[in-house]
Amino acid sequence: MSLVALAALAWASVAQAAEPPRLPMAETEVAHPALPPILSPRDRATVVDAILADRLDRVIPQVMQAHQIDMWVLVAREYLEDPVVATMLDAKSLRARRRTILVFYNPGGGKPVERLTVSRYGLGGLFQPAWNPDVEPDQWKALAQLIAARNPQKIALNVSSKSAFGDGLTKSQHDELVAALTPQLRERIVSGEGPSISWLETRTPMEMQLYPGILRLAHAVLGEGHSAKVVKPGVTTTDDVAWFYRARLSELGVDTWFHPSVGVHRQGVKDLLSGDTVIQPGDLIWTDFGITYLRLNTDTQHLAYVLKPGETDAPAGLKAGLAAANRIQDAVTGAFQVGISGNDILAAARKTAMDQGLKPSIYSHPLGYHGHGAGPAIGFWDNQNPDPRGAGRVNPGTVWSIELSAFAPVPEWGGQEVQFRTEEDAFYDGKTVRYLDGRQTSLTLIPSK
């Protein structure tokens, strides 16, 4: 069944509510797109809960089977949520309550995975309550009894020295949990790193129906900042633009997962200028911008040129620099294969780019519930060699931030080398990498008055 058909079936069970736009993935980016409709908090909650219910039904059985575990126990304390638990709370359960314990148990034999909560409070009907404090006041004992009754062969706990996403169980909670188990059950404890990463990195058909529209929202706001409405050459500073983005998102009721970065490349100046730098005609503006909406994150970098009086286009050398970055993007997306590592993609993409005479710096990463998401990295800006963080395998059904730079000389600037930074979000289905809402292939032009 196709991705679209699967999503349609899932959405059919959702109560009628306003929904965000469902846009098709596209290779070509719309310049200055219109701002899409933004949902009310109530309608957002409906969408978030529908996605979560579908993910629990669809992804959890796959994760437990793939990592050959029959029980996965997650523990979170209020305001100290495990990064996985935080994505499993319904839209009205903003935090873990006191101590929230979630248990997944796969009984095998084709039976459905049990979803249990050994907690004082419910979780939107998504997990079956499995603790009666009036019968057993000790929460840890109640958990231990539940585990012993099911007698799992592998008990995954989120403890990992390699990944923060699989390391959400705090030391005190780990010690108390283990102490409550029998010696026999303690020997069956394994790391929950694998299932944590798989849960977080896997995108569902429902999510992929909405992700392009989420990125369109980010692109629309980004375009507002790259316009004469915001940028007044000779007056506006790079910090002014960054804070415009923060204010605009606040006005729209949309979150940002990091403070926007704005800087300019300027003829005759070697390094990127930022902070209280006043934007001038002839500057190349670079912006790094990302939002969080419906629990999913975007991460994009765009370039804009401030026209000098009398100019109608950017210098050819600046346009060529962006084109070089686009070619490096092609090298990265063309290197994706299921089962190879992020380090493998990095090496292959760098070779392809350098064989074309390009000077690349590649630092792409997974994207989803976190901006720097779960899964293998593809290089780092300060390390273009194999890295332990890039050793993980690439899986289908994942979203990526294709982030990189091309270093290229600009003849019109006396051969000055400029770093052309680009970042676009894309989906890997196991066969091809497709951009969610296109990619920038032309510099945005900002007029000077």
Side-chain angles (χ1 to χ4, degrees):
M1 189 176 290
S2 71
L3 186 82
V4 173
L6 285 170
L9 286 174
W11 281 115
S13 62
V14 179
Q16 290 298 315
E19 296 178 7
R22 304 182 196 176
L23 304 177
M25 285 180 268
E27 290 301 303
T28 303
E29 186 172 299
V30 176
H32 291 290
L35 188 73
I38 296 174
L39 300 185
S40 69
R42 186 172 187 171
D43 286 337
R44 292 186 212 184
T46 299
V47 173
V48 165
D49 286 348
I51 289 174
L52 177 56
D54 178 67
R55 281 182 60 82
L56 290 169
D57 287 341
R58 185 188 302 274
V59 180
I60 288 296
Q62 297 173 0
V63 164
M64 299 190 75
Q65 181 177 0
H67 295 279
Q68 297 183 333
I69 57 171
D70 48 349
M71 181 169 283
W72 188 15
V73 180
L74 300 104
V75 182
R77 302 177 78 177
E78 198 167 17
Y79 308 120
L80 195 61
E81 287 79 13
D82 177 305
V84 176
V85 172
T87 67
M88 293 178 173
L89 303 177
D90 65 278
K92 290 189 288 185
S93 299
L94 302 179
R95 301 287 183 188
R97 297 291 298 276
R98 304 307 183 204
R99 181 191 295 117
T100 293
I101 301 177
L102 306 180
V103 179
F104 298 98
Y105 175 63
N106 183 5
K111 297 179 181 178
V113 173
E114 285 188 274
R115 301 199 301 258
L116 308 168
T117 176
V118 186
S119 310
R120 190 174 291 274
Y121 304 97
L123 284 173
L126 298 172
F127 294 82
Q128 180 183 348
W131 179 38
N132 184 345
D134 294 331
V135 175
E136 174 52 75
D138 190 311
Q139 191 177 12
W140 292 121
K141 286 184 180 179
L143 174 63
Q145 292 168 5
L146 181 152
I147 295 174
R150 286 160 177 77
N151 195 29
Q153 299 308 298
K154 288 185 179 180
I155 307 168
L157 301 180
N158 283 4
V159 177
S160 169
S161 61
K162 297 180 181 178
S163 171
F165 296 113
D167 198 33
L169 183 60
T170 64
K171 177 70 164 56
S172 66
Q173 302 304 282
H174 174 271
D175 290 350
E176 292 181 25
L177 191 163
V178 172
L181 300 178
T182 64
Q184 183 182 33
L185 289 174
R186 292 173 195 163
E187 294 177 356
R188 302 178 188 178
I189 292 174
V190 298
S191 172
E193 175 189 308
S196 294
I197 291 175
S198 292
W199 163 262
L200 292 172
E201 76 172 355
T202 301
R203 302 275 67 81
T204 64
M206 285 184 75
E207 289 173 312
M208 293 315 303
Q209 285 274 300
L210 302 183
Y211 223 147
I214 295 171
L215 185 55
R216 175 63 61 87
L217 169 57
H219 279 162
V221 177
L222 182 56
E224 290 181 12
H226 283 182
S227 71
K229 171 187 173 183
V230 173
V231 177
K232 310 296 182 185
V235 176
T236 306
T237 68
T238 52
D239 268 354
D240 290 338
V241 180
W243 282 108
F244 160 78
Y245 288 125
R246 290 293 300 273
R248 182 64 170 132
L249 290 178
S250 178
E251 178 184 68
L252 296 172
V254 176
D255 295 325
T256 178
W257 70 272
F258 66 95
H259 183 72
S261 297
V262 181
V264 296
H265 292 283
R266 180 172 294 167
Q267 182 176 358
V269 180
K270 178 181 178 181
D271 297 322
L272 183 77
L273 300 172
S274 58
D276 60 358
T277 298
V278 176
I279 298 171
Q280 301 291 351
D283 283 347
L284 180 68
I285 302 176
W286 159 79
T287 298
D288 190 358
F289 178 74
I291 68 170
T292 304
Y293 187 61
L294 301 175
R295 293 191 175 177
L296 295 170
N297 291 275
T298 72
D299 199 359
T300 48
Q301 294 180 42
H302 278 192
L303 297 168
Y305 177 71
V306 183
L307 294 166
K308 296 178 181 179
E311 281 186 323
T312 58
D313 200 356
L318 294 181
K319 294 193 291 184
L322 175 57
N326 292 150
R327 291 165 64 191
I328 298 173
Q329 289 172 338
D330 293 339
V332 173
T333 58
F336 270 68
Q337 294 181 45
V338 172
I340 68 173
S341 70
N343 290 333
D344 293 333
I345 294 177
L346 173 67
R350 281 181 57 79
K351 183 180 186 305
T352 297
M354 290 187 291
D355 285 349
Q356 297 178 33
L358 302 172
K359 187 176 178 180
S361 178
I362 299 167
Y363 35 97
S364 301
H365 57 85
L367 188 68
Y369 280 129
H370 303 89
H372 293 150
I378 304 174
F380 294 88
W381 66 266
D382 56 351
N383 183 16
Q384 291 292 281
N385 297 308
D387 187 286
R389 294 166 291 179
R393 303 297 165 182
V394 172
N395 294 308
T398 49
V399 168
W400 296 81
S401 171
I402 308 301
E403 183 178 10
L404 52 88
S405 295
F407 292 85
V410 178
E412 295 85 353
W413 289 8
Q416 176 181 331
E417 186 178 70
V418 173
Q419 182 181 9
F420 293 86
R421 310 183 198 194
T422 63
E423 188 170 16
E424 303 289 358
D425 303 338
F427 176 67
Y428 179 52
D429 63 7
K431 296 181 180 179
T432 59
V433 179
R434 290 175 289 166
Y435 291 102
L436 300 187
D437 190 38
R439 60 172 173 168
Q440 184 180 27
T441 56
S442 300
L443 296 173
T444 300
L445 302 178
I446 302 174
S448 292
K449 293 185 179 179

